[in-house]
């Protein structure tokens, strides 16, 4: 362990890390001790927005201001990029790089597009794919940005649905899986949902080499108001999707779905008492480092559910008030709440919905 700590200190002293601008001595010590770093967007007590880098104990290593409220992230291991996206209907993103002594890179959508808060990198870290809204037509698009050229926007492909939200790159390194939430919005109406009676959520698989649609999956008609939002891929390449139900609160509907090669897109039924406690809103999902444990947070119900992806059976249902952020760590999961808790630490800021592992 001593050797690892010394190497990190040497690296920190010589690299001028953009992720760690303004790093205090205490922050440097936390960095040296931590095996894993996390990123999360926040709002501070003065109402300013930013993104923080935290260690695996939930202590803040460094913090960076954002021009508005952040939401989700895209990370590129190969190129060491971290991109923080604006919350819908924001149109900014900020890219930080831990291998380059440079200022953060801010970039925007075109005037007739806005971000949906999520994106994914190509395996080599050169291209960024971002979920966007072409709001005049209502069509979802995937914007393509060149990370080697200041994140200039070089094109787009259809998301093959309305309201694309989270994007994940499948293990083949070529296929994008896109959760089309199905809800139409327009920035003139803020976050108002404009098409609830006719919403049509779907999961689209898109070939990044050609931009063509490989497959599109939809839930049964009775679940057309289950907005598919957040995803995680398990060790068997199955995609687990958390939904947010926009129908009658008294409806008996599942909140989780699973996509696999054999069965396609199927809803995941939870035992009655677990389903009741969890409610009809999944805020974030994450797969553990074991590849078989799924964690799903419900900030509205104030619980975190874990289940075994091999059997679909619940393992635990933990009370966690106003918790949404969830991410894998070495010994399970770390979570964050709007009340300031991050892991076992508490801070004077409200953490936003998602945590990225760095």
């Amino acid at each position: 362990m001593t050797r690892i700590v010394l190497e990190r200190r040497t690296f920190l002293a010589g690299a001028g890390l953009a992720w760690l601008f303004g790093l205090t001595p205490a922050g440097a010590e936390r960095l040296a001790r931590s095996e894993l770093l996390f990123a999360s967007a926040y709002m501070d007590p003065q109402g300013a927005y930013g993104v923080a880098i935290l260690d695996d104990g939930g202590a803040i290593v460094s913090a960076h201001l954002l021009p508005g409220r952040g939401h989700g992230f895209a990370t590129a291991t190969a190129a060491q990029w971290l991109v923080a996206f604006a919350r819908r209907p924001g149109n900014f993103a900020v890219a930080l790089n831990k291998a380059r002594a440079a200022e953060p890179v801010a970039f925007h959508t075109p005037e007739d597009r806005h971000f949906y808060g999520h994106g994914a990198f190509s395996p080599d870290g050169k291209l960024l794919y971002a979920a966007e809204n072409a709001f005049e037509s209502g069509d979802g698009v995937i914007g393509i940005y060149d990370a080697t050229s200041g994140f200039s926007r070089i094109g787009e492909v259809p998301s093959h649905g309305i309201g694309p939200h989270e994007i994940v790159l499948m293990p083949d390194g070529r296929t994008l899986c896109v959760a089309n939430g199905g809800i139409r919005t327009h920035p003139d109406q803020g976050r108002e949902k404009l098409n609830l009676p006719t919403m049509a959520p779907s999961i689209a698989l898109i070939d990044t080499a050609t931009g063509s649609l490989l497959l599109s999956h939809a839930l049964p008609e009775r679940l057309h108001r289950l907005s598919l939002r957040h995803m995680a891929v398990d060790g068997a390449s199955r995609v687990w999707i958390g939904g947010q139900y926009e129908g009658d609160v008294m409806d008996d509907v599942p909140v989780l779905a699973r996509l696999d090669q054999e069965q396609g897109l199927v809803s995941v039924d939870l035992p009655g008492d677990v389903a009741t406690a969890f409610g009809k809103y999944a805020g974030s999902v994450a797969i553990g480092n074991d590849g078989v444990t799924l964690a799903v947070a419900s900030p509205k119900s104030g619980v975190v559910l874990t289940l075994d992806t091999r059997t679909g059976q619940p393992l635990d249902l933990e009370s966690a008030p106003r918790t949404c952020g969830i991410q894998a760590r070495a010994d399970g999961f770390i979570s964050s709440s709007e009340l300031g808790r991050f892991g076992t630490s508490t801070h004077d800021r409200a953490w936003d919905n998602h945590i990225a592992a760095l």
Side-chain angles (χ1 to χ4, degrees):
M1 180 61 70
T2 301
R3 181 182 63 82
I4 295 175
V5 170
L6 288 174
E7 286 177 353
R8 284 180 179 167
R9 286 175 175 164
T10 301
F11 180 63
L12 176 64
L17 308 185
W19 279 6
L20 308 173
F21 262 6
L23 195 65
T24 65
E29 184 65 24
R30 294 187 189 106
L31 176 69
R33 293 197 307 263
S34 181
E35 291 296 324
L36 183 64
L37 296 176
F38 299 99
S40 184
Y42 66 81
M43 182 179 70
D44 72 14
Q46 289 72 47
Y49 295 106
V51 56
I53 309 299
L54 304 98
D55 68 15
D56 51 13
I60 294 175
V61 173
S62 66
H64 316 270
L65 291 177
L66 293 175
R69 181 172 173 178
H71 186 68
F73 300 90
T75 60
T77 302
Q80 302 190 69
W81 284 111
L82 167 71
V83 173
F85 291 99
R87 183 184 191 230
R88 172 181 67 84
N91 68 350
F92 73 85
V94 175
L96 306 172
N97 192 288
K98 83 172 190 179
R100 305 180 187 183
E103 294 281 352
V105 179
F107 58 101
H108 299 79
T109 62
E111 291 185 358
D112 57 350
R113 305 283 189 270
H114 68 68
F115 288 123
Y116 271 110
H118 290 274
F121 274 95
S122 60
D124 60 9
K126 293 181 179 180
L127 295 178
L128 173 68
Y129 305 99
E132 298 178 3
N133 183 15
F135 49 80
E136 295 302 341
S137 67
D139 296 325
V141 299
I142 307 300
I144 305 172
Y145 295 81
D146 184 353
T148 69
S149 181
F151 288 89
S152 58
R153 195 175 190 274
I154 59 175
E156 68 181 33
V157 297
S159 79
H160 303 280
I162 293 174
H165 203 71
E166 189 152 24
I167 303 171
V168 295
L169 184 69
M170 295 299 288
D172 65 7
R174 173 169 173 154
T175 304
L176 285 180
C177 185
V178 181
N180 288 302
I183 299 174
R184 183 170 182 176
T185 59
H186 193 289
D188 288 349
Q189 281 80 45
R191 293 175 58 82
E192 183 180 353
K193 300 163 185 173
L194 304 177
N195 67 328
L196 293 183
T198 60
M199 59 182 287
S202 67
I203 300 296
L205 297 175
I206 299 171
D207 186 343
T208 57
T210 65
S212 60
L213 178 67
L214 301 175
L215 288 169
S216 181
H217 300 270
L219 290 167
E221 173 61 26
R222 75 178 188 90
L223 298 178
H224 83 98
R225 293 183 73 161
L226 181 64
S227 182
L228 301 174
R229 297 292 188 90
H230 299 109
M231 302 182 291
V233 183
D234 69 16
S237 297
R238 292 171 298 204
V239 184
W240 295 79
I241 308 113
Q244 300 172 7
Y245 191 59
E246 300 292 346
D248 193 311
V249 295
M250 300 303 293
D251 290 346
D252 182 15
V253 296
V255 74
L256 295 176
R258 184 187 69 246
L259 176 65
D260 60 44
Q261 292 182 349
E262 295 181 358
Q263 295 180 288
L265 185 63
V266 296
S267 58
V268 177
D269 293 318
L270 300 173
D273 57 338
V274 175
T276 299
F278 192 85
K280 298 177 175 65
Y281 187 102
S284 292
V285 297
I287 291 289
N289 289 327
D290 60 7
V292 298
T293 306
L294 175 74
V296 190
S298 178
K300 292 193 173 182
S301 297
V303 297
V304 173
L305 169 69
T306 54
L307 58 80
D308 188 326
T309 62
R310 295 164 296 189
T311 64
Q313 293 302 304
L315 299 172
D316 186 43
L317 187 68
E318 175 190 359
S319 175
R322 294 176 66 179
T323 291
C324 190
I326 192 84
Q327 187 54 261
R329 57 184 297 174
D331 57 350
F333 297 92
I334 193 167
S335 63
S336 62
S337 83
E338 298 172 349
L339 302 175
R341 182 187 59 78
F342 197 106
T344 57
S345 302
T346 301
H347 305 279
D348 63 343
R349 59 198 72 197
W351 299 106
D352 217 277
N353 301 70
H354 301 290
I355 301 172
L358 308 179

